[in-house]
Amino acid sequence: MHPDNATDSPTLSPTSNASDSPTTNPTGSAGSGATGSATRPEQVDYEAEHVDYEVVDEHIAVITLNRPQAANAQNPKVLRELDEAWQAADADAEVRVIILRSTGKHFSAGHDMSGTESDVPRPAWTPDSGYDWETRHYLHYAKTWRDIPKPSIAAVQGKCIAGGLMLCWPCDLIVAADNAEFSDPVLHMGIGGVEYHGHTWELGARKAKELLFTGGPVTAAEALGLGMVNRVVPLDDLYPATLELARRIARQDPFALRMAKRAVNHTLDVQGFSTAVDSVFDMHHLAHARAALRNNGTPSLAGLTSMKNRGRSS
């Protein structure tokens, strides 16, 4: 989305309690994190404000987006911290599987453009600077995480809106809580979808069009039927179920896992996935440029209220 003082998602309540937060430990009992007896924090030189990183069971890296007070909206600092965690998991030769999850009621409310709590400078918006910044950050991060050779699993609860899709779609597998909803309502802002166009591949052409045309959500059950998610589980079981799947995968030969992932991703690329993502990113910025022409040189936020209202009613 664009670097203005707004979020790309409907306003969500970031508060949660123990029953709606996937904060369980690897044994499945209640807890405040993923710490288990086999953690190896001393091997990871990693500090962050909004993202937690640890390795459990020797071979499973757990990346936790921990900004529930903002419904896990992603500002530039959050994105940088997420990328650092992904790179830490990739660099650790003992890590075989990566889990991406978040705390709180919602998986992610999308991109946070408020400009708060971020030490990552952003240039004043122009068509040139906006295209360059979003290429280097939004698009680059999503494509990089997709191409990390180790299997990855996203655990999704609550709302996953717009930029939130750019966190879970690059993962190889998705486990969804039964209350999960996936949406991309940015058409209400005059833009045909978020920067990473996985829609057609994840949902199929007709359902992708419905999602984009209406801005409405796809439920966890619908996503399972469409093949966008692998499993739907009760909310309280989200992290234990995801961890159990990761353990099953981690028992496999790491090189064979790498080749299996490469085979599937390469097949998608032969079919046009990466080319389509790059091309649709350009269309995304055509919409930004159009908005700038209509609004005295700045991207339009005229549809922001409509988009937020849509999210509240969905």
Side-chain angles (χ1 to χ4, degrees), residues 225-275:
L226 293 164
M228 198 199 88
V229 306
N230 298 87
R231 300 180 182 181
V232 175
V233 299
L235 178 61
D236 290 343
D237 296 337
L238 179 60
Y239 183 59
T242 303
L243 185 61
E244 180 55 36
L245 179 58
R247 286 170 171 157
R248 180 178 177 185
I249 296 170
R251 290 194 289 266
Q252 310 302 320
D253 176 70
F255 185 78
L257 288 171
R258 179 173 186 160
M259 290 299 100
K261 175 170 179 170
R262 176 171 167 78
V264 176
N265 281 7
H266 183 66
T267 299
L268 290 172
D269 289 339
V270 168
Q271 294 173 342
F273 175 84
S274 291
T275 300

Side-chain angles (χ1 to χ4, degrees), residues 15 28 63 66 75-76 81 91 124 135 140 151 156 193 214 220 237 256-257 260 271 303:
T15 60
I63 300 170
N66 188 15
N75 63 21
E81 291 178 355
T135 299
H140 170 74
V156 179
T214 67
D237 296 337
L257 288 171
Q271 294 173 342

Side-chain angles (χ1 to χ4, degrees), residues 163-195:
L165 300 171
M166 297 177 66
L167 299 184
C168 68
W169 279 350
C171 293
D172 300 302
L173 307 176
I174 300 175
V175 179
D178 51 14
N179 73 338
E181 293 185 350
F182 306 83
S183 62
D184 185 5
V186 300
L187 186 136
H188 291 282
M189 300 176 69
I191 300 170
V194 290
E195 294 83 355

